[in-house]
Amino acid sequence: MTHVSERSGAGSSPTGAGGDRQPWTGGAGRQARKRSVSYADAGVSIDAGDRAVELLKSKVRQTRRPEVLGDLGGFAGLFRLDTKKYKSPILASSTDGVGTKLVIAQQMDIHDTVGIDLVAMVVDDLVACGAEPLFLLDYIATGEVVPDKVAEIGAGIADGCRYAGCALLGGETAEHPGVLRPDEYDISATGVGVVEEADILSPERVEVGDVVIAMRSSGLHSNGYSLVRHVLLGAARMRLDIVIDDFGRQRTLGEELLTPTKIYAKDCLKLIAEAEVRALSHITGGGIPGNLVRVLPENVDAVVNRSTWKPQPIFDLIQTKGRIDDQDMESTFNMGVGMFAIVSAEDADRALATLTGRGVEAWQAGEIIEGTGNVQMVGQHTRG
């Protein structure tokens, strides 16, 4: 993060030698008097923003890549693209946020995980077209800049960037008093990646006979939290500090809901290098049918067999408490799959071995057949 928004700049107010702020002068011949209102009086603390940036610097430097130029504090982040590595480099970009999962973080007063969610939502969209994430810029808006809290959020973002192999190139921390409550904040990020033009993953690559491989999610990821809060915290009146036996390890509901989103970027890039990957589908809002259909050409269908995996207990809890039908669950949540890879049948075993070797739980969940560009969900999930 580079600075707090609306930072005072040169010429913004009278200054004396060394840049010290001088008393306001009403005019010639009048006795000098102090300004009646300061920026701090309006609720914006530039010093707090500066302290937050200082707390983050060591974390951000851990995400540095060789292509990064300069350091934090500039007006823009600089990144030298090594064009010698590519015949025809194509830049890819993605922007996203975390949604109302942030409400859970604020209620739990745990802020070092949502940054990981933020990075995951951006970089796993980039890798879905075959792009290597290069750098990310974040944006944090808050009612009051509390340096330690902002540093926690930023530390999570930096951790996510390290997991994804991209640089945290810069960003913005904005203080919005009177718009957001002092304890409220929202975050978003934009990421940029690069892919060789000939290697862009697209629906045109998908063929009849290809295999659909599923990669297990870490839980809800960052979608559907408005429904989750409505069902569990609203209608069911569950408390975030209640321990749910089905979650194991004495995990509370709040801890389960704040489980960070799995980042697949490095795993998928390795998979692309080792196997014939036709397409990747990042399962976010819209669930499995709504996202897998985005990588299908019009002459095929993807058949996904639910019986090949068991969703995590959190999904069953939400469905049971909310009396939600199967179709609404599948169109809202990832149901235990965070990413799909469509690979050639000949490379299916190699693909599974590559993912397993990297610690990713993966399995063959379906196949590509002749069709009209739809996703067919068949079978039933294992329960209990």
Side-chain angles (χ1 to χ4, degrees), residues 201-203 205-215 271 275-281 291-297 300-302 339-345 348 351 366-368:
L201 302 181
S202 65
R205 291 174 173 254
V206 179
E207 302 175 358
V208 173
D210 286 345
V211 169
V212 179
I213 290 177
M215 300 178 219
L271 181 63
E276 183 63 34
V277 177
R278 314 286 201 195
L280 291 168
S281 177
N291 286 284
L292 191 52
V293 72
R294 297 164 67 180
V295 299
L296 299 179
V300 306
D301 281 0
M339 183 78 76
F340 279 106
I342 300 177
V343 304
S344 66
E367 61 180 339
I368 302 298

Side-chain angles (χ1 to χ4, degrees), residues 214-293:
M215 300 178 219
R216 191 162 183 82
S217 70
S218 55
L220 290 170
H221 284 187
S222 298
N223 299 105
Y225 274 77
S226 294
L227 179 57
V228 170
R229 291 186 301 109
H230 174 73
V231 169
L232 300 185
L233 307 183
R237 298 186 178 182
M238 298 181 71
R239 291 182 5 213
L240 291 172
D241 61 356
I242 188 173
V243 174
I244 307 294
D245 291 338
D246 287 346
F247 295 163
R249 296 173 296 172
Q250 290 293 301
R251 282 170 65 84
T252 65
L253 175 61
E255 290 169 338
E256 179 66 27
L257 296 181
L258 286 184
T259 301
T261 303
K262 169 71 175 173
I263 295 178
Y264 301 95
K266 283 186 175 180
D267 304 313
C268 288
L269 290 173
K270 183 64 174 178
L271 181 63
I272 291 169
E274 296 292 332
E276 183 63 34
V277 177
R278 314 286 201 195
L280 291 168
S281 177
H282 185 200
I283 308 305
T284 55
I288 293 172
N291 286 284
L292 191 52
V293 72

